[in-house]
Amino acid sequence: MILVTGGAGFIGSHVADALLDLGHPVRILDSLLPAAHRGAAPHLDPRAEFMHGDVGDPDALQRALQGVIGISHQAAMVGLGSDFSDVADYVRQNDLATAVLLQTLAANRFSGRLVLASSMVVYGEGSYRCPRHGPLAAPPRAPADLAAQRFDPLCPDCGDPLDPTPVSESARLDPRNVYAATKVHQEHLCFAFARETGLPVTALRYHNVYGPRMPRDTPYAGVASIFRSELAAGRPPRVFEDGRQLRDFVHVRDVARANVAALTLDGPPTAPFNIASGRPRTVGEMASALAREAGARAPAPVTTGQYRLGDVRHVFASPARAAAELGFEATEDFSLGMREFARAPLRGTPEPA
Ligand code: UD1
C-alpha cells in the first residue's frame, strides 16, 4: 500500500492515478483544506482508498499508515498567500504536520521509503554568471531598479548584466517567503530522519507545475493557473515585468512520474532533485502559448511592466541529476500540454469570503 498525503489535490491526485495505473494499491489521506477544495473531490479515482484527515493528527495518521510501504507526502499549504496573517497556518500544515509524520514513522519502526514534495522556491533566485566574475548568487532586486523597469539582476561587484544559468541541487538555499521557508524546513526535517533511520528519503523540487485539475486562481496559485483563469473569464493574461523572466513549466503528469520513480526505484537515492522539463520558457511565451490554445477569440496577453517585490527574476533547472540518479526525464510536450491545459476545466475552489 502506498500512502499519498494530499492525494485529493492537484499534484497528489495525479501521483495517485499514476500509481494506480501501475497496479499499486493507493490510500489517500487528505484534509480537503478549504483553501484548495470545495467539499468533496469528484476527480478522485475510486480505486484509491480515501481517508479524510489531517497529516498533523497523530490518530488519523496512525490509521492511514496501516500496511504502508511507501509515502508520497504531497499535503501542504502552497503558494505565496496574501499576507503574514497565515504564517502560523503554513508552519502548522507544512512543518508541524511533517514533524508529526516523521515522529509517527519512527515510532512505528517504518521501514519503507518517503518522497517529499519540495519546490524550486527553496533556491530563491536562480543561478547566474557574471561574464567577468564567474558564477554568483544574485541578491534580491532593489525596489528602485524595479521601479525604473530594470528587471534583470546585476553583478554586485561590477554592475554588469548577469547571464542566468540552470540551477542545480547544490545551489545555496535562499527561501524568500514563508512558504519557501517551510519547504526548506520540511527538507531538513526529512533528511535528518533519513540520517537517523537509514531510510531512503527523496525530496522532489518541483518547478512550475501546470496541467489538468490545477486549482482556479486563488492567492495561493502560480502564474499558469492565473493566466488560465483570466482566459476563462475572457480577459487577457497580464504578464508582469517585461515578460522575459524565465521559468521551467513542467507538466503534472511528468511530476507524477517522478514520484513513481522515487517510490519504486531499486535503492532510491536520499537526495533532493529538480523536477523540471529542462526547457526554460519566458513567462511571456507561456502566456502566448496558452492564449493561442484557448481559441481564436481569446484575448492576447498584455505585458504590463508591473512587478511584485517578492518575485525572483529567473529560475530554471538543471534536470541532470534526476535523469542520472532517478532515471526521470520529462516527456510531455509543451505545446500539447498547453493545449490540454487551455481546454481542461480548472478545479473550483470556494469564492473568497
Ligand atoms: C511558483 C509558486 C510557488 C511554487 C513554484 C513552483 C507562487 C507565488 N509561487 O513560483 O509557490 O512552488 O511556482 O511550482 O505561487 N506573473 C505574471 N502575471 C501574473 C502572476 C505572475 O506575469 O498574473 C509572473 C510573476 O511576476 C513571475 C512569474 O510570473 O515573474 C511566476 O510567478 P508565480 O508562478 O506566481 O511564482 P514562481 O516564483 O514562479
Side-chain angles (χ1 to χ4, degrees), residues 78-81 119-121 177 179 206-209 219-224 226-227 230 238-241 245 247 249 283 306-308 311-313 315:
V78 301
L80 206 55
S119 165
M120 57 74 164
V121 291
N177 57 47
Y179 169 62
Y206 306 154
H207 283 252
N208 294 62
V209 188
Y220 304 95
V223 65
I226 293 172
F227 287 173
E230 296 286 15
R238 297 169 61 78
V239 180
F240 297 163
E241 305 187 12
Q245 58 275 43
R247 292 292 186 279
F249 295 98
V283 170
Q306 265 171 283
Y307 55 89
R308 303 184 301 195
D311 270 334
V312 299
R313 176 61 172 168
V315 54

Side-chain angles (χ1 to χ4, degrees), residues 125-143:
E125 265 294 348
S127 295
Y128 292 86
R129 193 171 191 293
C130 170
R132 273 200 261 181
H133 295 96
L136 51 82
R141 297 178 289 174

Side-chain angles (χ1 to χ4, degrees), residues 261-335:
L263 284 163
T264 56
L265 197 73
D266 274 345
T270 286
F273 291 95
N274 283 325
I275 300 302
S277 75
R279 305 272 307 268
R281 320 256 168 189
T282 66
V283 170
E285 186 184 353
M286 190 274 283
S288 301
L290 195 59
R292 213 170 28 245
E293 297 299 347
R297 298 186 23 210
V302 290
T303 304
T304 65
Q306 265 171 283
Y307 55 89
R308 303 184 301 195
L309 281 179
D311 270 334
V312 299
R313 176 61 172 168
H314 305 294
V315 54
F316 56 96
S318 165
R321 185 195 266 185
E325 295 177 35
L326 275 186
F328 167 75
E329 280 181 66
T331 57
E332 298 281 341
D333 176 79
F334 177 75
S335 304

